[in-house]
Amino acid sequence: MADGETYESVLLVKSEVFVYKIPPRATNRGYRATDWNLDAPQWTGRMRLVAKGNDCVMKLEDKASGELFAKSPIDKYPGIAIEAVSDSSRYFVIRIQDDDGRAAFIGLGFSDRSDSFDLNVALQDHFKWIKKSEEIEKEKDDDVPKADFRFKEGETIKINMKITKKDGSEATVKPKARPSGMGGILPPPPGGVGKIAPPPKVTPTSSPSHVASNPVPGMDLLNLGGPSATASATSPAGASPAAGGLESWGDFTTANPNAPAQASPSNPNWVQF
């Protein structure tokens, strides 16, 4: 098909229509079919409603030969090109026009109301299609960007679902809250974390040290009253432990458990067994 060439489509065909000569309208009131001579139509033939692109034309043709009797270009409906009468649904006033541009008004009637109803529907559908086509072309010219409802990267949605229990009540499923802080570690007990207090530190007296070296850092042994390893190491050979003013260990004179306890003569704080 060449550019600009459009096929002619047939919108409606009625095999029998009646054409009437109508008197001029004297007032602004609508046309009345009872003013015509309905028993004596001026012409009887076939009606074809055709469209070529947006143009719509009603053609009145001879039933047998198809010769054109008159044509009526219809630019809108309802409009001046075709108008319904005020006293019947089967009759219309149409404006016919020749190739020279001369126009005249004639009456058009159908023998059945369904035929006039079909003509109304065909004209309405055609002009609705024209309006829709114009809206589509306007949208293309405007180049309006369409709304994008797709999810963006990393975008999520939250949905609360209502689940019906067996007893008919509804339960709302809510997402579980994640524990704050580090995952997998239980929170501390109430009152904070308990700490073990360090052992009390013994302050050395002015007397010579009786405490052995502490093998554990940060802890002092209690003064047991015996000679320290440091004092033994620094004492001269053969010196008596009591010579340096050190308190001597008690003597274990007996191991008899039944013997009475006696105080040590060298140290009254120690007891001999």
Side-chain angles (χ1 to χ4, degrees), residues 12-141:
L12 182 67
V13 176
K14 293 299 178 182
S15 60
E16 185 178 52
V17 294
F18 306 100
V19 174
Y20 300 92
K21 183 179 179 180
I22 61 175
R25 180 162 46 180
T27 62
N28 292 330
R29 66 183 179 89
Y31 289 101
R32 293 173 57 90
T34 54
D35 297 337
W36 310 341
N37 189 5
L38 299 179
D39 295 334
Q42 299 292 321
W43 180 84
T44 302
R46 179 180 65 186
M47 187 271 294
R48 287 196 312 134
L49 187 67
V50 298
K52 188 174 183 180
N54 293 344
D55 298 331
C56 180
V57 179
M58 177 186 291
K59 294 183 178 182
L60 303 177
E61 302 170 341
D62 185 83
K63 290 182 180 181
S65 62
E67 183 182 358
L68 181 65
F69 170 75
K71 64 180 180 179
S72 173
I74 303 174
D75 53 353
K76 64 179 180 178
Y77 181 76
I80 194 175
I82 180 169
E83 182 181 353
V85 298
S86 60
D87 59 345
S88 176
S89 61
R90 295 188 293 119
Y91 297 93
F92 301 87
V93 175
I94 63 173
R95 183 186 62 183
I96 58 176
Q97 190 173 351
D98 60 9
D99 296 335
D100 298 332
R102 294 177 298 179
F105 291 91
I106 62 174
L108 179 72
F110 298 92
S111 59
D112 194 272
R113 285 186 175 88
S114 62
D115 294 337
S116 61
F117 176 80
D118 294 341
L119 176 61
N120 279 315
V121 173
L123 290 171
Q124 290 174 2
D125 290 346
H126 173 72
F127 288 101
K128 284 181 181 179
W129 173 80
I130 293 176
K131 184 178 180 181
K132 187 66 176 179
S133 300
E134 292 175 351
E135 291 177 354
I136 294 175
E137 292 297 329
K138 185 178 180 181
E139 290 179 358
K140 291 180 180 179
D141 295 339

Side-chain angles (χ1 to χ4, degrees), residues 247-251 261-272:
E247 296 180 356
S248 60
W249 289 82
D251 297 332
Q262 298 179 2
S264 174
S266 59
N267 190 350
N269 295 330
W270 290 88
V271 179
Q272 292 182 353

Side-chain angles (χ1 to χ4, degrees), residues 229-241:
T230 307
S232 300
T234 56
S235 299
S240 174

